[in-house]
């Protein structure tokens, strides 16, 4: 069991996920005579069994968890929120922007998988692959049910004996939030800033269409905040937040340069195929590869470094050629 006591009086709990990162780290903190939970995990048997082990190990009655904060709507963080709410009776909180996306993506009658299929097909993804991606998204709904009842985030949540600031850091998702203790300079950073993994910055139907602009702005904002330690949702605990933020900005700058070079009357799928030619991607990975490539292309287009045009139903990208001047 991945379980550690952390600075600030809480626990870092590694909940298994069926993805390469292996765990999502959720955080359990005392609050007076009960507990609060930050993130819940992905809803599948191994994750549920791990939570049962945690409750037994700590001798905690699950009903002592009275508040659950979901940092963003992605299923490895929100998937067990409904199950946990049923088990504990806790109130569940999420940023309004991600609450809207949560319902759009996972709610009853959701058409998000079809919308994603349509989006990636317009960017050149072959029909067979786009259908596999759509089917994979539909199947993932079962890993989020039952849906919880969600409330807006409070202004300054109180746990572990003090108030915490909520810092909105859009990019990885529109409504992703971090929790910050300004006295101890502790940041609960979720997927906002990770090491050694690079958070996925993607475009999705119904969400902001320039998430990379948001993400870089969020990184620059957090560089102004004094942080001694950042407790992440994946990978290692961070003790060098400013340096890691600088490295992530540099990573995206290099990726933007590469994509600009590749954009020679190509679709996003052709560009992504060049970017990831060293890897064999499954449909799940292709979905993120496409969404992140489109996010970078949108960034370059907004910065007037690329232009796009349609040929039939497909979108193509080209570098903007400098206009010649009369002599």
């Amino acid at each position: 069991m991945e379980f550690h006591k952390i600075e600030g009086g809480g626990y870092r709990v590694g909940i298994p996920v069926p993805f390469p990162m292996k765990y999502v780290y959720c955080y359990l903190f005392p609050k007076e005579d009960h507990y609060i939970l930050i993130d819940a995990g992905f809803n599948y048997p191994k994750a549920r069994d791990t939570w049962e082990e945690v409750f037994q190990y700590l001798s905690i009655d699950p009903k002592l968890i009275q508040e659950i904060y979901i940092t963003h709507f992605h299923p490895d963080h929100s998937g067990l929120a409904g199950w946990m709410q049923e088990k504990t009776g806790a109130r569940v909180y999420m940023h309004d922007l991600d609450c809207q996306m949560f319902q759009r993506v996972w709610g009853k009658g959701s058409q998000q998988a079809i919308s994603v299929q349509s989006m990636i097909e317009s960017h050149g993804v072959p029909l067979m692959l786009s259908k596999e991606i759509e089917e994979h998204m539909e199947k993932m709904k079962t890993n989020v049910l039952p849906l919880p009842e969600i409330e807006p985030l409070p202004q300054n949540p109180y746990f572990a004996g003090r108030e915490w600031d909520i810092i909105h850091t859009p990019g990885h998702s529109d409504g992703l939030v971090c929790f910050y203790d300004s006295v101890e300079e502790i940041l609960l950073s979720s997927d906002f800033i990770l090491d050694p993994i690079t958070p996925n910055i993607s475009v999705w139907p119904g969400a902001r269409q320039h998430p990379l602009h948001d993400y870089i702005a969020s990184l620059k904002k957090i560089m102004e905040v004094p942080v001694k330690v950042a407790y992440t949702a994946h990978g290692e605990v961070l003790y060098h937040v400013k340096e890691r933020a600088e490295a992530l900005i540099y990573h995206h700058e290099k990726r933007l340069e590469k994509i600009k070079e590749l954009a020679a009357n190509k679709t996003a799928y052709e560009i992504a195929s060049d970017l990831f030619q060293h890897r064999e991607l499954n449909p799940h990975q292709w979905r993120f590869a496409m969404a992140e490539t489109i996010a970078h292309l949108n960034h370059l287009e907004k910065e007037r470094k690329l232009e796009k045009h349609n040929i039939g139903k497909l979108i193509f990208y080209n570098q903007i050629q400098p206009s010649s001047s009369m002599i």
Side-chain angles (χ1 to χ4, degrees), residues 8-10 29-32 36 158-162 164:
F29 285 93
K31 180 178 179 178
E32 298 165 348
I36 72 104
Y158 183 91
F159 54 88
R162 68 268 198 199
W164 295 68

Side-chain angles (χ1 to χ4, degrees), residues 35-61:
Y35 290 87
I36 72 104
L37 176 64
I38 296 177
D39 287 333
F42 190 76
N43 193 352
Y44 80 127
K46 195 171 180 181
R48 295 192 298 270
D49 290 346
T50 298
W51 273 121
E52 298 291 1
E53 290 175 22
V54 170
F55 297 144
Q56 186 174 6
Y57 179 78
L58 290 176
S59 300
I60 289 179
D61 181 342

Side-chain angles (χ1 to χ4, degrees), residues 27-303:
Y27 293 87
L28 191 64
F29 285 93
K31 180 178 179 178
E32 298 165 348
D33 60 349
H34 58 275
Y35 290 87
I36 72 104
L37 176 64
I38 296 177
D39 287 333
F42 190 76
N43 193 352
Y44 80 127
K46 195 171 180 181
R48 295 192 298 270
D49 290 346
T50 298
W51 273 121
E52 298 291 1
E53 290 175 22
V54 170
F55 297 144
Q56 186 174 6
Y57 179 78
L58 290 176
S59 300
I60 289 179
D61 181 342
K63 294 194 180 300
L64 288 175
I65 298 174
Q66 295 185 8
E67 299 167 65
I68 300 169
Y69 295 88
I70 303 299
T71 59
H72 60 296
F73 80 94
H74 295 168
D76 53 326
H77 297 255
S78 67
L80 273 171
W83 176 84
M84 191 70 76
Q85 187 176 58
E86 288 185 350
K87 192 172 188 66
T88 64
R91 300 170 76 173
V92 176
Y93 303 98
M94 190 188 300
H95 191 285
D96 183 59
L97 288 173
D98 268 26
C99 186
Q100 293 173 36
M101 280 300 292
F102 184 84
Q103 292 298 327
R104 178 186 176 91
V105 176
W106 311 117
K108 186 176 181 180
S110 170
Q111 297 295 303
Q112 185 72 353
I114 293 171
S115 297
V116 169
Q117 182 182 13
S118 178
M119 178 186 80
I120 61 178
E121 283 181 3
S122 72
H123 285 280
V125 172
L127 293 179
M128 185 176 294
L129 176 56
S130 74
K131 184 60 179 173
E132 290 176 340
I133 290 170
E134 185 268 336
E135 289 171 351
H136 183 271
M137 279 195 71
E138 280 295 327
K139 288 178 183 175
M140 195 174 287
K141 285 182 181 178
T142 60
N143 302 109
V144 181
L145 299 175
L147 300 184
E149 293 183 16
I150 303 175
E151 301 178 47
L153 286 165
Q155 288 264 326
N156 293 94
Y158 183 91
F159 54 88
R162 68 268 198 199
E163 279 192 350
W164 295 68
D165 297 322
I166 293 178
I167 304 177
H168 181 209
T169 53
H172 181 65
S173 81
D174 292 353
L176 189 148
V177 295
C178 301
F179 295 83
Y180 178 63
D181 171 10
S182 60
V183 176
E184 299 295 332
E185 298 181 353
I186 295 172
L187 185 73
L188 307 176
S189 64
S190 185
D191 284 3
F192 166 55
I193 187 164
L194 302 172
D195 191 18
I197 309 165
T198 302
N200 183 275
I201 310 300
S202 294
V203 164
W204 303 113
R208 296 185 189 186
Q209 295 301 291
H210 296 96
L212 188 53
H213 279 89
D214 290 338
Y215 186 58
I216 291 171
S218 295
L219 288 171
K220 289 178 179 178
K221 178 169 71 174
I222 213 68
M223 287 166 64
E224 302 301 318
V225 177
V227 178
K228 289 180 181 175
V229 58
Y231 290 107
T232 63
H234 306 288
E236 303 300 325
V237 173
L238 272 170
Y239 296 95
H240 52 285
V241 168
K242 184 176 180 180
E243 292 81 0
R244 182 58 182 158
E246 290 171 343
L248 287 167
I249 292 171
Y250 178 75
H251 162 81
H252 286 290
E253 288 173 345
K254 298 303 289 183
R255 178 56 58 90
L256 287 165
E257 288 177 11
K258 181 65 175 176
I259 288 175
K260 182 183 174 184
E261 289 174 8
L262 291 171
N265 201 36
K266 289 183 178 180
T267 65
Y269 177 69
E270 290 172 318
I271 293 168
S273 297
D274 288 337
L275 285 172
F276 298 101
Q277 60 182 299
H278 59 290
R279 295 178 58 189
E280 186 173 341
L281 304 180
N282 60 35
H284 175 74
Q285 292 165 328
W286 260 118
R287 174 162 61 95
F288 285 100
M290 282 300 302
E292 182 154 11
T293 300
I294 295 168
H296 284 75
L297 288 164
N298 283 5
H299 184 98
L300 289 164
E301 185 190 15
K302 186 178 175 73
E303 296 293 319

